[in-house]
Amino acid sequence: MPWQPKAVSLNDEASLLYVESATFKLGDGKARMMEDQKWPLACHEFGHAAIEWHFRDSLEDEGVVVDVATGKGQFCVRTFYTAELIEETLRKTTDEQTRAIHIRAVERIIIRLLGGPVAEYIARGWEPKRAIRFSSEYRFPDSDSSRIREFLRGLTGKDDKQYQLRLQNECKAILTEERTWRAVEHLAKMVLEHGQVLGPEIEAVY
């Protein structure tokens, strides 16, 4: 039975469980995965996982699934914030040290979300010069692009792409550390061969 992400209940803080999905369509309109899309997609999912591991979050209950027939990849990036909650928390926090802790917690979530797109760019050999966004994802409120935009608005009051670029560069520095990227590539090969890689297997590689 294929791995399925654990469900989480919605609470007052609008806890979100996002299962990433990417489908690539050929000219005949059938949802199939193009050969040259498999590797970037696999690296995308393990980019998320690599950042989770970097921040020492357990991957025990996580996993990555890539279906090479349909082009769908799955990795959960759990978030427990909304833009409104971030704004309210920062507004009520007067102690500068506590405020800095709150800000860094949100930044780390943004970096987790950026882990996928940044890893995909690295896998393709592309050098991002600007903030990475996929406009097609804005239709889906739980997508990487939508949540990154929302959290930036919560932190800065606007969709601050310069702020994102700073976090994006931090994310890239983490992923391009030699041992980390070697692990991403190793795990991407595993998932393309076996279809899924479970949390304990990911942790064993790191």
Side-chain angles (χ1 to χ4, degrees), residues 139-155:
R139 294 175 295 162
F140 309 105
D142 292 345
S143 68
D144 289 341
S145 295
S146 293
R147 288 196 289 171
I148 289 167
R149 181 171 64 175
E150 179 180 16
F151 294 154
L152 287 170
R153 285 172 174 169
L155 280 178

Side-chain angles (χ1 to χ4, degrees), residues 117-118 121-122 125-133 161-166 168-169 172:
V118 171
Y121 265 63
I122 295 170
W126 296 346
E127 179 67 32
K129 301 295 185 183
R130 292 182 281 183
I132 301 173
R133 296 287 180 82
K161 292 185 178 178
Q162 286 303 310
Y163 198 121
Q164 177 183 326
L165 190 58
R166 177 172 65 79
Q168 193 171 291
N169 288 335
K172 181 186 173 187

Side-chain angles (χ1 to χ4, degrees), residues 2 10 12-13 36 49 62 109 113 116 143-144 159 184 188 191:
L10 294 177
D12 293 339
E13 295 184 353
D36 63 351
E62 309 295 356
I109 292 173
L113 291 167
S143 68
D144 289 341
D159 182 13
V184 169
V191 81

Side-chain angles (χ1 to χ4, degrees), residues 42-86:
C43 290
H44 179 119
E45 303 305 339
F46 284 109
H48 288 309
I51 300 298
E52 292 272 345
W53 180 251
H54 175 81
F55 288 135
R56 298 299 183 263
D57 291 323
S58 174
L59 296 167
E60 181 69 27
D61 296 323
E62 309 295 356
V64 170
V65 176
V66 172
D67 185 336
V68 296
T70 64
K72 292 183 179 180
Q74 297 178 357
F75 179 81
C76 301
V77 179
R78 291 179 171 83
T79 60
F80 299 90
Y81 299 93
T82 63
E84 292 76 16
L85 179 63
I86 295 167

Side-chain angles (χ1 to χ4, degrees), residues 90-131:
L90 294 178
R91 187 172 61 250
K92 291 180 177 179
T93 304
T94 56
D95 178 73
E96 286 302 315
Q97 185 174 0
T98 304
R99 183 183 175 85
I101 291 171
H102 287 319
I103 290 172
R104 186 54 183 167
V106 178
E107 288 181 344
R108 283 167 59 142
I109 292 173
I110 294 173
I111 294 169
R112 286 181 179 87
L113 291 167
L114 285 166
V118 171
E120 185 173 336
Y121 265 63
I122 295 170
R124 294 179 184 276
W126 296 346
E127 179 67 32
K129 301 295 185 183
R130 292 182 281 183

